[in-house]
Amino acid sequence: MNIRVVSAIALLCLIWGSLWGLVKHSLQIFPPFLFISMRLILAGLTLIVVQLLMKKSVLPAQGEWKKLIISSLMICFGFYVTQIFAMQFVDSGLSAVLVFTMPIFIGVLAHYILKERLNTQKMIGLLCGASGLIAILWPQLQHLQLNMALIGQGFLISSGFFWALTTVYVKKNFETYDKMKLTIWQLLIGGFIVLLGALSFETVDFTVWINPWNDAILFYIAVIGTGFAFALWNWIVSQVDTFVASISVMCIPILSLFFGNVLWHEPLTMNILIGAAFICLGIIFSSLNFSKKKHATSVLQDRK
C-alpha cells in the first residue's frame, strides 16, 4: 500500500474509532431512527455542497439509479438501521467489535464474487483477527442468555455482514465511479426512506434538536463520521484489494474499546487486551506483501 492509502486508513480508523461512543451517547438523546435518518441526510447534503464546490456532477445518469438504490438500501438498512437498533442494548466498544466481523464475511464474499483469492497469508491474518474477536467476546460466549443484549449482538453481526456485502457490491459495480457521488446517493436514498418511517412512529421533540451541544455532536457524527468517512472508505476500497482494506481497519474496534473505557467508563478487561493483540497481528500479517518481498530477494540473489 502506498503512503496515501496508509494515511487514509489511519485517518479513517481515528474517526470511526472515536465515533461509536458518541453514537451510543446520542441514542440517549435522540429518537434512534430519526437520529439515523438525520445523520444520513445531513451527511449526504454536505457532500453535495462539496461536490458542487469541486464543480463535479451530482445527479446520476438514468441507467445508474437501480444500482445506486440497491447499494443504498443495503448500507442504510442492512448496516446503519440494524446497528442503531442494536446499540440501544449493547456497549459501544462491544458493538464495534461485533460489526467488525465484517472482514470475515468479506474474505469469503470477495473470494467468490470478485475472484480475490483467499490465499494462505490472508487466511492466517483472518484467523488471527477472528481469534482476537473471539478472545474479546469470550465472557459473553460463556454465559449466553436470550435477552435484548444477545439479540442486539446478533443484529450487530448481521450489520457487519451487510457492510461486507455492500463493499463487495460497490467494488464490483462502481470500480471507476465518482466515489463522492456514490456516497451521496448511498446516504440520501436510504436516509429519506428511514425518515419517512421514523416520522410515523417516533415523536419529534424540537427542544432536543435545537440544543447547540446536541447539534454539535450530530454534526460531527453526520458530516465527519458518516459523510466524509464513508466517502474515504469507498475510495480506499477502490485503491486496494477489498480484503486488505477490510482487515486494515480492524484496529477500529480496539480504538472504540479504548475510547469507550476512557470517555464512557466501559470495562477494559484482559480478554480485550489479548484480543487487541491478535487483531493487530492479523492486520500486520494480512497487509504486508510477503510474496513481493520474497520475489525481490530472489531477484537480488540471482543478480549476485
Side-chain angles (χ1 to χ4, degrees), residues 1-302:
M1 287 188 287
N2 61 45
I3 189 64
R4 291 176 63 201
V5 176
V6 172
S7 300
I9 289 172
L11 179 59
L12 184 66
C13 289
L14 184 61
I15 293 171
W16 274 349
S18 66
L19 199 67
W20 293 84
L22 285 174
V23 171
K24 179 73 174 178
H25 174 71
S26 297
L27 292 176
Q28 301 171 17
I29 301 172
F30 301 104
F33 297 106
L34 280 172
F35 164 72
I36 190 60
S37 63
M38 294 308 300
R39 172 185 174 182
L40 296 172
I41 292 169
L42 180 58
L45 293 177
T46 304
L47 291 180
I48 286 179
V49 174
V50 174
Q51 189 80 335
L52 292 174
L53 290 174
M54 295 170 64
K55 298 182 178 180
K56 293 185 177 181
S57 65
V58 172
L59 289 176
Q62 186 174 356
E64 296 169 350
W65 281 106
K66 181 179 178 181
K67 291 179 180 179
L68 284 170
I69 290 170
I70 292 171
S71 174
S72 179
L73 293 178
M74 284 196 295
I75 200 65
C76 290
F77 286 87
F79 178 64
Y80 280 115
V81 170
T82 56
Q83 182 188 126
I84 287 298
F85 169 77
M87 284 187 71
Q88 296 176 82
F89 314 105
V90 183
D91 285 346
S92 64
L94 181 56
S95 295
V97 170
L98 291 168
V99 169
F100 276 84
T101 52
M102 177 267 291
I104 298 172
F105 297 119
I106 216 168
V108 177
L109 291 171
H111 177 77
Y112 288 104
I113 298 173
L114 301 178
K115 308 304 179 186
E116 294 181 0
R117 193 166 62 88
L118 196 58
N119 57 29
T120 303
Q121 181 185 329
K122 290 181 181 179
M123 285 293 295
I124 294 173
L126 187 59
L127 288 172
C128 287
S131 298
L133 292 172
I134 291 171
I136 293 171
L137 294 173
W138 188 247
Q140 285 79 20
L141 294 174
Q142 288 182 304
H143 303 94
L144 289 177
Q145 293 182 344
L146 186 59
N147 51 31
M148 288 308 297
L150 181 62
I151 293 171
Q153 290 170 15
F155 269 94
L156 288 164
I157 293 172
S158 71
S159 178
F161 170 77
F162 275 100
W163 184 12
L165 188 63
T166 308
T167 300
V168 170
Y169 186 82
V170 166
K171 181 80 170 183
K172 185 176 178 65
N173 294 282
F174 296 95
E175 182 73 25
T176 59
Y177 198 76
D178 184 330
K179 297 303 180 291
M180 188 77 78
K181 186 194 291 188
L182 167 65
T183 309
I184 287 169
W185 294 106
Q186 276 185 311
L187 300 176
L188 285 183
I189 295 170
F192 277 110
I193 295 173
V194 176
L195 177 62
L196 291 174
L199 288 173
S200 65
F201 63 87
E202 288 184 338
T203 303
V204 179
D205 183 355
F206 288 103
T207 59
V208 170
W209 296 95
I210 61 174
N211 180 291
W213 174 244
N214 294 348
D215 292 341
I217 294 174
L218 178 61
F219 180 86
Y220 177 78
I221 292 172
V223 176
I224 306 300
T226 305
F228 171 75
F230 217 85
L232 191 62
W233 167 252
N234 283 333
W235 179 81
I236 291 168
V237 170
S238 72
Q239 298 299 306
V240 296
D241 183 287
T242 313
F243 177 79
V244 172
S246 65
I247 199 77
S248 296
V249 295
M250 279 188 75
C251 62
I252 291 174
I254 300 171
L255 291 171
S256 300
L257 290 164
F258 171 76
F259 283 120
N261 176 258
V262 172
L263 299 177
W264 315 109
H265 308 294
E266 296 174 358
L268 193 62
T269 64
M270 183 58 68
N271 291 77
I272 291 172
L273 296 175
I274 293 171
F278 271 98
I279 289 172
C280 289
L281 184 62
I283 293 168
I284 294 169
F285 201 92
S286 298
S287 301
L288 294 178
N289 199 328
F290 294 114
S291 60
K292 284 189 177 180
K293 290 183 178 180
K294 185 177 179 181
H295 175 70
T297 302
S298 63
V299 169
L300 287 173
Q301 288 175 347
D302 290 341

